[in-house]
Amino acid sequence: MSKKIIITLVTLGVILGASLGVLIWWLLRADELYETIRLEGKGIGDVEYTAAYTRISDQGNMFWWFYPTLSASPTSRPVLMWLHGATGTPPSFLANFGMFGPYDNNINRRNDSWVNDYNLLFVDAPLGTGFSSIVSNNTDDFPDIEQNVEHLLRTLQSFYSLHEEYNNSPIYICGQGDGSQLALSLAIRLSEEKDISGNFKGVILGNPIVSPALVLTKLGFYLEELGYIDEKGRAAIKNLSNTITDLVSSEEYESAFNHFISLGSFINENAGAVAVNLDHIVEKMTRLPNQDYFGEMSYIESEFNMKNNMNDFMDNVVAPALGIEDSVKYDGRRDDAIHAFKKTYMKPNVDKVEHILKNTNLSISIYNGNLDAVSNTPGQLEWINHLEWSGQSDFMNKTRETLIFNNIIEGYFRESERLSFYWINVAGLLVPYDNSIGIRRVLNRIVN
């Protein structure tokens, strides 16, 4: 054998050996990406559940809470994975105790809970919100939306590792408000992954933050038609809208976000609309300054008959019952999480909706409460009615029909095979709370 051939074989051996070493390292590293920690405490109520952390290596702990449905054959029923996003109240409280979990915020059994018909998977995301904690103390280290999507993928793997029986159950990713941004990105990543279990069916978006600057262009029209402002107020809102639109066009998303979250104070102080709660336009308010994002928390506090505020309830009642350590403070780093999302929050996500419609077989279902000014319905239809994909003409040609239950009109709908939109009456941002009957009819149409 020639010296040249020997050298070549030795070189190939070294390369193959190194490659094998890298492969073994990668496989070992994959197992280290996350760890599932099942929480064991005294428990809450008598409804079966799993509460757990998905520990993301060197990042933090993603909290999730799963309730198997009480209906017959649970694994044949859909799993609804519920996300609220950075500015929204965490699902472990709002969706769970506030709107449709097995128990209300006084730990009383809820007779019309969605657990009667669906498997519920509440995930506190992004890291730093709810019970989901982060390792770093540095605000600049907080993960952005795409990094949180990777964490959510690991969380799903973690969920299926404990509940293999749901591997083939239908699953829908649900995003409320700016949770829709996580839901859309997660849907795209999940459709690309072949090693994560689940019979992925579609995305359900509630009052979504998809193209916030575009939706804002209809806010002045919306408020003037309702009589909250006059023509001067509409002109003032138009100026703010133009400023935000220009910032988004220039990709100055963080500055656009800072203007966007000033909507509540701007409208009440500069547009002549005294005491308007943008999340629920008919709620009566005082003229005290609102420190809340768009009025969601003030609405929750006014509606829910709670003995303590949300954080006290979750820290002092729920955390001990689940076996969560005292060092974890509920929603303790929300502001840091929001800071990490400022860079992309105002960036339009219409392209992600179109990507799903063009490149997958998933359905996209959108519902919107008619009393939500931030995600006002005329503004939502501005981007929905101009989506570019092969089924758009079919969607637009469908007749809008009436959503009726017990002779009461709960809303309206336009449905095509892949895209559906639901107008929900007498509801603001919190549609499942404001119109529980209407949203249950909508869910029944979506999953069946």
Side-chain angles (χ1 to χ4, degrees):
M1 185 177 293
S2 69
K3 184 176 181 180
K4 182 177 181 180
I5 294 174
I6 292 173
I7 292 173
T8 301
L9 289 173
V10 170
T11 303
L12 285 173
V14 171
I15 293 173
L16 289 172
S19 298
L20 181 59
V22 171
L23 177 60
I24 292 173
W25 175 88
W26 184 88
L27 289 171
L28 291 173
R29 180 62 178 162
D31 289 336
E32 296 174 359
L33 286 176
Y34 73 91
E35 175 187 1
T36 305
I37 303 171
R38 189 163 187 164
L39 295 168
E40 301 290 349
K42 63 183 180 181
I44 293 180
D46 57 1
V47 175
E48 180 184 352
Y49 70 83
T50 300
Y53 275 120
T54 299
R55 176 160 293 168
I56 312 296
S57 178
D58 301 324
Q59 289 289 318
N61 300 320
M62 192 74 83
F63 174 79
W64 54 273
W65 196 337
F66 174 66
Y67 292 99
T69 180
L70 301 178
S71 67
S73 304
T75 56
S76 67
R77 299 297 299 155
V79 175
L80 303 183
M81 180 182 185
W82 202 268
L83 306 169
H84 278 188
T87 65
T89 307
S92 56
F93 172 77
L94 181 55
N96 188 9
F97 294 104
M99 297 197 294
F100 52 82
Y103 299 94
D104 65 17
N105 52 272
N106 292 306
I107 317 297
N108 295 320
R109 187 68 179 273
R110 181 179 281 115
N111 294 327
D112 60 350
S113 170
W114 291 9
V115 79
N116 295 334
D117 302 297
Y118 307 104
N119 301 290
L120 305 178
L121 177 59
F122 301 123
V123 183
D124 286 347
L127 286 179
T129 64
F131 281 130
S132 291
S133 59
I134 189 167
V135 172
S136 177
N137 291 318
N138 188 347
T139 300
D140 294 333
D141 291 338
F142 265 67
D144 60 19
I145 185 169
E146 297 305 326
Q147 291 171 306
N148 271 287
V149 166
E150 294 301 318
H151 300 159
L152 286 169
L153 281 175
R154 304 288 82 79
T155 300
L156 274 175
Q157 288 177 314
S158 177
F159 163 71
Y160 286 118
S161 72
L162 286 186
H163 291 285
E164 294 181 0
E165 66 273 24
Y166 290 92
N167 278 350
N168 296 314
S169 302
I171 181 170
Y172 291 83
I173 309 299
C174 309
Q176 176 171 296
D178 63 349
S180 57
Q181 298 178 354
L182 284 170
L184 289 170
S185 293
L186 177 60
I188 292 172
R189 285 289 287 112
L190 194 57
S191 67
E192 297 168 348
E193 293 287 332
K194 305 302 180 185
D195 61 342
I196 296 180
S197 301
N199 183 10
F200 191 18
K201 290 294 187 180
V203 183
I204 302 174
L205 306 177
N207 295 48
I209 301 293
V210 171
S211 188
L214 178 60
V215 173
L216 183 59
T217 63
K218 293 294 183 180
L219 179 58
F221 160 77
Y222 173 86
L223 291 177
E224 186 179 17
E225 291 299 301
L226 289 174
Y228 282 106
I229 60 173
D230 58 12
E231 65 278 2
K232 292 182 179 179
R234 182 169 179 174
I237 293 174
K238 182 178 180 181
N239 287 336
L240 176 64
S241 173
N242 289 341
T243 297
I244 293 175
T245 297
D246 290 343
L247 289 170
V248 170
S249 298
S250 302
E251 298 186 359
E252 298 179 52
Y253 299 123
E254 189 164 346
S255 182
F257 175 83
N258 291 333
H259 281 77
F260 187 65
I261 62 173
S262 72
L263 271 178
S265 60
F266 179 89
I267 289 172
N268 284 300
E269 295 170 12
N270 301 94
V274 176
V276 170
N277 186 333
L278 297 182
D279 274 351
H280 195 266
I281 203 69
V282 297
E283 183 195 3
K284 295 180 179 179
M285 297 175 61
T286 68
R287 294 194 64 173
L288 294 175
N290 181 15
Q291 304 299 322
D292 183 19
Y293 287 104
F294 312 120
E296 179 179 285
M297 186 52 66
S298 65
Y299 181 57
I300 290 171
E301 291 176 351
S302 68
E303 287 291 307
F304 296 0
N305 183 25
M306 296 186 64
K307 299 176 183 177
N308 302 300
N309 65 34
M310 176 187 76
N311 288 26
D312 287 342
F313 171 72
M314 297 301 283
D315 282 333
N316 300 325
V317 177
V318 178
L322 297 182
I324 295 175
E325 297 178 357
D326 292 341
S327 59
V328 177
K329 297 303 178 185
Y330 193 74
D331 220 25
R333 305 197 66 184
R334 171 193 289 274
D335 288 342
D336 292 329
I338 291 173
H339 178 78
F341 274 54
K342 283 183 179 181
K343 301 172 185 176
T344 56
Y345 190 98
M346 297 299 293
K347 184 178 181 179
N349 283 276
V350 177
D351 60 327
K352 293 182 179 179
V353 176
E354 292 175 337
H355 177 91
I356 293 170
L357 292 171
K358 290 176 181 177
N359 299 289
T360 75
N361 294 319
L362 300 172
S363 66
I364 295 184
S365 306
I366 306 163
Y367 64 84
N368 212 77
N370 67 342
L371 301 179
D372 184 355
V374 178
S375 297
N376 61 84
T377 302
Q380 296 284 31
L381 292 173
E382 278 295 293
W383 64 266
I384 293 170
N385 289 344
H386 294 90
L387 290 169
E388 296 182 2
W389 67 292
S390 60
Q392 184 67 7
S393 59
D394 178 54
F395 170 73
M396 294 300 296
N397 288 331
K398 295 292 184 182
T399 301
R400 190 177 90 148
E401 300 184 51
T402 308
L403 188 69
I404 300 176
F405 184 73
N406 286 341
N407 293 321
I408 302 295
I409 298 175
E410 304 292 352
Y412 312 89
F413 61 90
R414 176 179 291 141
E415 297 172 329
S416 65
E417 184 176 355
R418 299 276 311 288
L419 178 64
S420 300
F421 183 77
Y422 302 88
W423 293 255
I424 308 296
N425 290 343
V426 198
L429 172 64
L430 307 184
V431 169
Y433 174 78
D434 294 328
N435 191 337
S436 60
I437 293 175
I439 191 61
R440 286 176 68 88
R441 306 306 295 176
V442 165
L443 282 176
N444 186 59
R445 299 190 67 86
I446 291 172
V447 304
N448 294 317

